[in-house]
Amino acid sequence: MRSVQNVPLFYPVVFLGLAASSIASSFAATPAEKPAASLDLTLSTTQASGGSADGIAVSYAYTPATPTAAPVTLQLDTLEPGLERSTDQVADLVLSDDRGALPTGPALVRKDGPRSLQTWTTTRAATGVVHVSYRMHVAPSRPKKRGPQVDLQAAGGGISGGYVGVLALPDIGEASFKTRVHWKLAPGAMGVSSYGEGDYAGSFTADKLLGTLFLAGPVKTFRPQGQAKDAGLQIYGLGVTQEQVQAAGGWAAKAYAAELKGFKLEGNRAYRYMIRSFDGVANPSGRAAEHSFMLYVPPGQSPDTTELHYTVAHEMVHSLARNLAKEDIEGDWYTEGLANYIALTVPDAAGLYTPAEYLELVSGQSAGYYTNAKRSLPNSALPAVVWSGRNAWMLPYNRGTLYLADLDAKLKAHGAGVSVLDLANEMSARMNAGAPEDHSTWLAVLSKRVGSWAVQDWNDMMDGKLIVPAAGAFGPCMHAAKEDVRIFDLGFASPVRLTAGASIGGLVKGSPAERAGLRDGDVLEASVDINPMAESLDKPVVLKVTRGGKAETISFDPRGGSQPGVRWSSSCVR
């Protein structure tokens, strides 16, 4: 019953969804086509002295679209603000061209809108084909910041992450590379990415290429019965067993088929579900890309649970439906709210959740909204506070989920003849046809397909007005009873995420945490996934800490005060 912490990186990853493009198998250009740059890329794992995978070696040949007499600039995303680089830095960078060695100036960092880039510029003009090689060590498994699952990590004897974490590419703006990707791996190892198993080719902008997810090494694989290679859902894993991969893939394949049907997409679209498990943080999390999804599972946890089924269903929505632009959080009420809402309702309609599981999932989304101290903030104020700690980051997810469930129930009550899923499909169709990826397109859809009452409801939600779901929200079995709920608050300012080794700071005097014995300076002995408590009306927080070398276990109820809310029940739970 967790929200999916798909923390955004601030570069424009392209989720084509309904406009998904095929991968070209040849680069023959017609006379009408403009010349394009080419990128022949080779990726291989590096090994530590004991033989375990500890990084990646990158080499490529870059041919500009047209011969130029100008320096070349390479750029690498710093991963800020969601992540930060430490051990995962470019090392042994070497460039050459047709004239020989191609030296670069010192690495610099520059801002590019909301993201920052590390850059290297050659000290002379490049001639002909530019050859680039470097290596990169894996990132810390427990970073100070835990953003999206795109950092380079060692897992299960291999490596995994996103190309954004490892590729320093030539800066050619929004133009495309004719790209060939080659995996150079040990016998028995596999490289799999968002675009298939092994080597592949296609036309990519830099941003689209950087959005690629990958696993490389002794990858476990599973294809549900009846699905051919490069059609339907395939599942891959590093750091998990073959049995876990197979069990998780069986449920995911059914959910994928249900979502394809809901979004009115043709069958047999290839979708690659990748799992990585390593000794990292306590909470599972995911990252979607075109045609694919990466799930991080902490050691000892199974990917085949109701909560992670819901996570997978959520991320599939990001790959199948068009999202609003995500530079500043303000589109998350739709992008994340829709993913939550579809991940609940579409698998449930397909019989993939039991009534008790569905009740627990809906109750979690509801509690995350109603117990949030910031729930009345207008949507425009969220970017400034959403990463401030506690459960603030959940608000756009949970608010959007409740809004869409309420809207769907009202559509039925008004006899509108459309559902939220119908409206989402029209949103995708309009954006594929060139409509803006922002609120104006949603308002245009509401105005045309529904009416002024729906526009007013949306304005109220954006202004922070409390959402009280209409009868029938989340389906006929679900019933919401008004009830005052307590406000979730851990009672201390730091750490924002409860990661082993972090120290407690900013403890609020008189808070439940302080009364239970927690003290400033206590060090967390073990990481804690706070999501299940933040999405509950009554679950306690249990922290294992050390103080002066002595272990302590502190348990407390992280709630106080009260504000209007609801509690859900289901007439279908027996």
Side-chain angles (χ1 to χ4, degrees), residues 377-389:
L377 283 178
N379 198 66
S380 60
L382 292 182
V385 303
V386 74
W387 303 121
S388 62

Side-chain angles (χ1 to χ4, degrees), residues 227-242:
Q227 295 194 143
K229 183 177 181 180
D230 292 327
L233 181 138
Q234 293 106 53
I235 184 169
Y236 307 88
L238 279 175
V240 290
T241 67
Q242 182 65 40

Side-chain angles (χ1 to χ4, degrees), residues 59-403:
S59 63
Y60 60 79
Y62 161 61
T63 305
T66 56
T68 59
V72 171
T73 296
L74 306 185
Q75 53 188 26
L76 175 74
D77 202 301
T78 65
L79 305 182
E80 292 281 5
L83 288 156
E84 63 181 7
R85 294 187 180 276
S86 54
T87 55
D88 50 333
Q89 300 281 351
V90 167
D92 301 332
L93 176 64
V94 177
L95 283 77
S96 64
D97 65 358
D98 291 355
R99 293 170 54 192
L102 188 58
T104 65
L108 302 173
V109 174
R110 68 175 178 85
K111 294 291 291 182
D112 180 22
R115 64 176 174 171
S116 64
L117 301 169
Q118 188 174 19
T119 65
W120 298 261
T121 301
T122 61
T123 56
R124 65 168 175 82
T127 301
V129 179
V130 177
H131 296 271
V132 178
S133 67
Y134 59 91
R135 61 181 179 82
M136 184 176 291
H137 192 269
V138 294
S141 61
R142 296 178 183 176
K144 294 178 181 178
K145 296 181 181 180
R146 176 67 271 169
Q149 295 293 330
V150 295
D151 49 343
L152 182 65
Q153 292 286 346
I159 57 170
S160 64
Y163 284 179
V164 69
V166 300
L167 290 187
L169 295 177
D171 180 9
I172 61 170
E174 297 181 2
S176 294
F177 296 99
K178 292 179 178 179
T179 305
R180 292 183 176 89
V181 178
H182 172 64
W183 290 100
K184 186 177 180 181
L185 302 171
M190 169 191 287
V192 60
S193 78
S194 301
Y195 299 100
E197 297 178 10
D199 300 353
Y200 62 94
S203 180
F204 294 85
T205 63
D207 288 328
K208 183 178 176 181
L209 187 60
L210 292 174
T212 306
L213 303 171
F214 72 91
L215 303 176
V219 178
K220 307 288 195 306
T221 67
F222 173 66
R223 293 185 183 87
Q225 189 173 6
Q227 295 194 143
K229 183 177 181 180
D230 292 327
L233 181 138
Q234 293 106 53
I235 184 169
Y236 307 88
L238 279 175
V240 290
T241 67
Q242 182 65 40
E243 291 74 21
Q244 287 177 317
V245 168
Q246 185 167 334
W251 190 95
K254 296 173 185 176
Y256 181 61
E259 289 195 14
L260 283 178
K261 182 177 180 181
F263 288 120
K264 302 186 187 313
L265 300 173
E266 68 269 21
N268 292 323
R269 284 172 171 249
Y271 193 82
R272 296 169 185 93
Y273 168 21
M274 294 173 257
I275 301 174
R276 65 180 189 174
S277 183
F278 54 88
D279 187 16
V281 296
N283 59 296
S285 62
R287 178 71 175 182
E290 188 178 4
H291 308 305
S292 59
F293 162 54
M294 179 84 75
L295 176 68
Y296 161 72
V297 182
Q301 292 193 28
S302 169
D304 188 33
T305 66
T306 301
E307 291 181 11
L308 294 186
H309 289 165
Y310 165 72
T311 300
V312 172
H314 170 110
E315 296 297 343
M316 286 178 181
V317 177
H318 288 316
S319 299
L320 299 176
R322 288 297 300 267
N323 302 322
L324 298 191
K326 287 190 60 176
E327 282 84 0
D328 58 7
I329 309 298
E330 290 192 53
D332 276 0
W333 69 268
Y334 181 83
T335 296
E336 303 297 350
L338 180 70
N340 276 1
Y341 178 72
I342 297 301
L344 289 167
T345 57
V346 168
D348 182 62
L352 299 180
Y353 299 131
T354 68
E357 289 170 341
Y358 187 60
L359 172 60
E360 183 178 15
L361 290 169
V362 169
S363 295
Q365 288 299 309
S366 175
Y369 171 70
Y370 289 110
T371 68
N372 200 312
K374 301 183 184 298
R375 71 183 191 185
S376 296
L377 283 178
N379 198 66
S380 60
L382 292 182
V385 303
V386 74
W387 303 121
S388 62
R390 313 302 201 269
N391 60 339
W393 72 266
M394 295 179 178
L395 184 55
Y397 290 66
N398 301 142
R399 175 187 281 174
T401 309
L402 269 291
Y403 161 71

